[in-house]
Amino acid sequence: GQQVMQIPQYQHVQEGEDFTTYCNSSTTLSNIQWYKQRPGGHPVFLIQLVKSGEVKKQKRLTFQFGEAKKNSSLHITATQTTDVGTYFCAGEIPGANSKLTFGKGITLSVRP
Amino acid sequence: NAGVMQNPRHLVRRRGQEARLRCSPMKGHSHVYWYRQLPEEGLKFMVYLQKENIIDESGMPKERFSAEFPKEGPSILRIQQVVRGDSAAYFCASSNLAGGYEQYFGPGTRLTVT
């Protein structure tokens, strides 16, 4: 069954607002990755987190890996219309042949 | 450096026909992954291959679906006797190492079964 959860599936924000989404795994992960998919496009790699408690920043995006390596968060500061898309987290489960298990994603819409 | 290439980009098949989807990984990448995506769904893992080897096919239906990644040429995902439920976007991704490395996705093949 689904082992990497992303809830909710949709979120709508006003341009300029902050946005945070979470990813939860039922098992400890070796690492977690985040991808972004624009409407009609393909997933594009954003970041990978490996260490417990790790925090990485990319301009207005902040990614965090939980201490227990079972959850992660993505925070976007002052959203822009270019942030529109679906954000997927993907976890590598130890012993699972190096494959990634993707969450269902959260689709972000930004009102200008 | 060309990215991951997939063809065709769009494929229409009638029920019962065969669909062949091709994926050329990024240059230097020897690991290929196939995913299926239904509208408003996440990416569902199907199969992981290295050159001439299937490493993990746990996400691929046992009947009608097969995949290969020959020594020369692209990786092929083959769906025999397609049914309407096979309609989806099929993405392939490649990486240059196994385990914990970013995957580069191709543009996908949108399969429609009529």
Side-chain angles (χ1 to χ4, degrees):
Chain A
Q2 187 74 29
Q3 292 177 288
V4 176
M5 304 284 291
Q6 289 183 261
I7 297 171
Q9 273 192 269
Y10 303 93
Q11 194 152 344
H12 312 278
V13 298
Q14 185 72 40
E15 188 174 21
E17 287 182 346
D18 291 356
F19 162 75
T20 302
T21 189
Y22 300 91
C23 173
N24 296 295
S25 169
S26 55
T27 59
T28 302
L29 301 169
S30 302
N31 66 82
I32 197 158
Q33 301 179 18
W34 286 88
Y35 291 77
K36 179 182 178 181
Q37 184 177 22
R38 293 183 187 275
H42 60 276
V44 174
F45 174 82
L46 293 176
I47 205 89
Q48 178 185 260
L49 304 166
V50 179
K51 298 175 186 173
S52 169
E54 187 171 13
V55 177
K56 286 189 177 178
K57 292 190 176 185
Q58 282 182 354
K59 296 182 181 177
R60 294 178 296 103
L61 276 62
T62 302
F63 303 85
Q64 186 163 6
F65 203 7
E67 293 292 338
K69 299 182 73 172
K70 294 175 78 170
N71 52 61
S72 180
S73 65
L74 158 61
H75 177 82
I76 304 178
T77 303
T79 54
Q80 300 176 359
T81 53
T82 53
D83 296 325
V84 162
T86 301
Y87 293 84
F88 294 99
C89 65
E92 185 183 334
I93 297 168
N97 277 326
S98 306
K99 66 175 187 274
L100 291 175
T101 300
F102 279 79
K104 286 195 172 184
I106 180 166
T107 299
L108 175 66
S109 65
V110 180
R111 293 186 299 272
Chain B
N1 186 13
V4 178
M5 295 196 292
Q6 288 187 250
N7 67 79
R9 296 288 301 275
H10 299 274
L11 181 62
V12 180
R13 284 287 177 265
R14 291 199 187 98
R15 278 180 298 171
Q17 290 185 319
E18 178 180 287
R20 279 189 179 232
L21 287 61
R22 293 174 188 77
C23 169
S24 296
M26 283 184 73
K27 189 177 179 181
H29 286 191
S30 59
H31 301 263
V32 166
Y33 308 81
W34 284 93
Y35 296 88
R36 177 161 69 178
Q37 185 176 42
L38 292 167
E40 301 186 2
E41 290 282 325
L43 292 149
K44 186 179 175 198
F45 168 82
M46 298 183 73
V47 61
Y48 163 34
L49 309 105
Q50 292 179 29
K51 283 285 185 180
E52 300 184 276
N53 286 308
I54 295 175
I55 306 302
D56 187 332
E57 55 183 350
S58 59
M60 198 159 66
K62 292 196 176 354
E63 308 210 342
R64 303 189 298 108
F65 285 73
S66 62
E68 62 177 12
F69 188 15
K71 189 176 179 181
E72 302 290 338
S75 175
I76 306 279
L77 178 67
R78 184 178 173 212
I79 312 172
Q80 294 179 290
Q81 299 175 322
V82 295
V83 301
R84 286 222 174 101
D86 296 332
S87 295
Y90 292 84
F91 289 96
C92 96
S94 73
S95 68
N96 62 352
L97 289 168
Y101 292 90
E102 64 189 270
Q103 295 183 11
Y104 293 84
F105 281 78
T109 294
R110 270 81 178 167
L111 172 65
T112 303
V113 180
T114 61

